[in-house]
Amino acid sequence: MFPLPHYPDKRPASWTRNKCRHNRAAGCRHNSGQELCYLCHQRQRRNIPISFTEEKIKAEQELDRVLQEYQKFKDEEFYEQERRYISREKELSKEVAECNLALADKVKQDRLPDKSYHQSYIFARNGTIPRRYLSAEQYSNILDGQVKIKADRHHRERTDKDKEEREEQAYLSQELASAKQRFIKSKATAVKQYQTALNSQVQNPPYRLPAAVPDSEGPIFGKIDVTPERVRDMRKRAKEVMKHQLQAVQDKKSLVDREKQKAVKHEVELLERAKTELREDCYKKYLLRKGVRDDLERSWTSQHQLKKSRDADELKHRMKSGLLLLDQCDKYKRCDQCKRCYDNVGSSNVWKESRYSAGCRLMV
């Protein structure tokens, strides 16, 4: 919007200011606290608000329609898959039922009697026909005969089994006795042979080398075995061996002591390190808890102060009586939007009759 044209007014400035205030108080319906001058307020009132509610509703309806179509498509696809699965299961069940029926028919046919042979024969003459009924005595005799035959068979079987067991036991006892006799005999033979060998060794001792022979002046064997020099060398070697063994024992003992001290030192270092790490962890946890508590206390303090100031402002607002719009506008010296005074109704500081002369820097 363009600013309104300015016409010179011959009335006093105080009258114009009072009239502007009266007009603003009479025709202004905006809420207090906007700090707008008359010109900015008029511009705000003349602006035509554009609402996008209908477009938003249409877009939402279109989105709902697309979503419904998509959901319908997914439902149809799901139902189609279910239908295909049910039809496939039906076909599989039908095939299984046909297979079971065929197997049942085959088993039934296999169980039927074979009719390839004749079950009846025709003889040239009739055979002897047994009597239709037997007496109780005959039945009893037949049953007694069967019982006797069965008892005889069981008795015979038991007798044969007992005989076989007795023969097996006798054979085993004979084998054990013969094995024991052979063991005793072989042991006695070995003892006798060992005794014979010992007696022969006692009676015939082994041949030893003589210390001297008849034609020698002195002993031949063992002449230089026990000389003083050899004894001194042997004693010296024995001392060196003993010294070396003592030194090895001392070195081994010192090595074991060093290893033990090293292990103790390593364990002490591990304990000290674990203790230091535990102390550091405890200190870090304490700092974390202390920081959290300090943050909570600061937050609680700031919220408490904010609540107290809010309560004080609300109490102060309740204690004061309501102010008129003109009295509220007296507190503000400038418009918050255009930064001009509230008496501004479209006037400008630029003269309309100004002219610019070429070649100079003055405006008349």
Side-chain angles (χ1 to χ4, degrees), residues 9 11-26 38 326 330 342-345:
D9 194 355
R11 290 172 290 187
S14 60
W15 185 87
T16 306
R17 188 180 299 110
N18 293 332
K19 184 176 180 181
C20 291
R21 288 183 179 180
H22 177 70
N23 293 335
R24 281 187 293 172
Y38 177 75
L326 295 177
D330 289 338
Y342 287 102
D343 298 334
N344 179 30
V345 290

Side-chain angles (χ1 to χ4, degrees), residues 1-5 39 43 46:
M1 297 176 63
F2 296 96
L4 298 175
L39 183 61
R43 287 177 178 176
R46 292 178 183 178

Side-chain angles (χ1 to χ4, degrees), residues 23-35:
N23 293 335
R24 281 187 293 172
C28 183
R29 293 186 179 88
H30 69 284
N31 298 325
S32 62
Q34 291 186 357
E35 301 89 16

Side-chain angles (χ1 to χ4, degrees), residues 26-84:
C28 183
R29 293 186 179 88
H30 69 284
N31 298 325
S32 62
Q34 291 186 357
E35 301 89 16
L36 297 177
C37 63
Y38 177 75
L39 183 61
C40 295
H41 179 56
Q42 290 297 326
R43 287 177 178 176
Q44 187 177 5
R45 289 186 60 186
R46 292 178 183 178
N47 286 335
I48 300 174
I50 300 175
S51 177
F52 296 97
T53 306
E54 295 181 358
E55 287 78 0
K56 188 182 296 184
I57 292 173
K58 290 180 180 180
E60 292 178 355
Q61 291 177 355
E62 183 66 21
L63 184 62
D64 292 340
R65 186 183 63 78
V66 173
L67 183 61
Q68 290 177 2
E69 291 180 356
Y70 177 73
Q71 190 66 32
K72 183 179 178 182
F73 173 73
K74 295 296 288 184
D75 293 341
E76 291 178 355
E77 185 177 1
F78 175 75
Y79 292 147
E80 183 66 21
Q81 292 179 359
E82 286 292 329
R83 187 182 61 77
R84 291 178 182 175

Side-chain angles (χ1 to χ4, degrees), residues 153-363:
R153 186 173 65 252
H154 283 297
H155 179 69
R156 188 169 55 256
E157 291 177 356
R158 190 181 303 109
T159 304
D160 295 340
K161 187 175 181 182
D162 293 340
K163 185 177 180 181
E164 290 177 358
E165 289 179 355
R166 283 195 300 271
E167 291 177 355
E168 186 176 0
Q169 289 178 0
Y171 176 75
L172 290 175
S173 61
Q174 291 177 2
E175 286 291 329
L176 289 174
S178 61
K180 188 175 181 179
Q181 291 294 330
R182 286 195 301 271
F183 176 74
I184 293 172
K185 188 175 180 181
S186 63
K187 186 176 180 180
T189 305
V191 170
K192 189 175 180 180
Q193 292 176 358
Y194 186 65
Q195 188 175 4
T196 305
L198 289 176
N199 292 331
S200 64
Q201 289 180 5
V202 169
Q203 293 175 4
N204 301 316
Y207 177 76
R208 298 180 179 275
L209 293 174
V213 293
D215 58 348
S216 63
E217 296 179 358
I220 299 174
F221 300 100
K223 291 175 62 177
I224 59 175
D225 291 342
V226 205
T227 58
E229 293 81 5
R230 190 174 181 84
V231 171
R232 283 196 297 271
D233 293 339
M234 292 173 63
R235 190 174 298 172
K236 184 177 180 180
R237 285 198 299 271
K239 287 183 180 180
E240 290 179 353
V241 169
M242 184 178 66
K243 185 177 180 181
H244 179 70
Q245 290 178 352
L246 291 175
Q247 185 65 29
V249 171
Q250 191 68 23
D251 294 341
K252 187 175 180 180
K253 187 176 180 180
S254 61
L255 180 62
V256 170
D257 293 339
R258 285 197 302 271
E259 291 292 336
K260 186 182 293 184
Q261 292 177 0
K262 187 176 179 181
V264 171
K265 185 177 179 181
H266 182 64
E267 291 179 357
V268 171
E269 290 178 355
L270 289 178
L271 291 175
E272 290 292 336
R273 187 183 304 169
K275 187 176 180 181
T276 305
E277 291 178 356
L278 180 61
R279 190 183 297 111
E280 290 178 355
D281 292 340
C282 293
Y283 182 67
K284 289 180 180 179
K285 291 180 180 179
Y286 168 73
L287 291 179
L288 181 61
R289 291 196 300 268
K290 188 174 182 300
V292 172
R293 182 177 179 82
D294 293 341
D295 293 339
L296 290 174
E297 288 179 355
R298 285 195 296 269
S299 176
W300 293 339
T301 304
S302 61
Q303 291 179 4
H304 180 64
Q305 294 294 336
L306 182 62
K307 186 176 183 301
K308 286 178 65 177
S309 62
R310 193 183 298 114
D311 293 342
D313 294 340
E314 185 177 357
L315 181 60
K316 189 184 296 182
H317 179 70
R318 289 178 181 177
M319 292 175 62
K320 290 184 178 179
S321 59
L323 299 177
L324 298 177
L325 181 60
L326 295 177
D327 298 334
Q328 293 179 11
C329 291
D330 289 338
K331 295 189 301 182
Y332 306 103
K333 304 300 181 182
R334 295 286 179 180
C335 177
D336 188 61
Q337 184 172 352
C338 63
K339 305 300 180 183
R340 295 180 181 177
C341 61
Y342 287 102
D343 298 334
N344 179 30
V345 290
S347 59
S348 176
N349 296 327
V350 181
W351 296 350
K352 297 299 181 181
E353 291 84 4
S354 298
R355 295 185 302 275
Y356 174 72
S357 299
C360 68
R361 296 188 181 184
L362 298 178
M363 293 181 65

Side-chain angles (χ1 to χ4, degrees), residues 138-149:
Q138 292 176 350
Y139 277 121
S140 178
N141 294 332
I142 292 171
L143 291 174
D144 290 339
Q146 292 178 0
V147 169
K148 287 181 181 179
I149 292 171

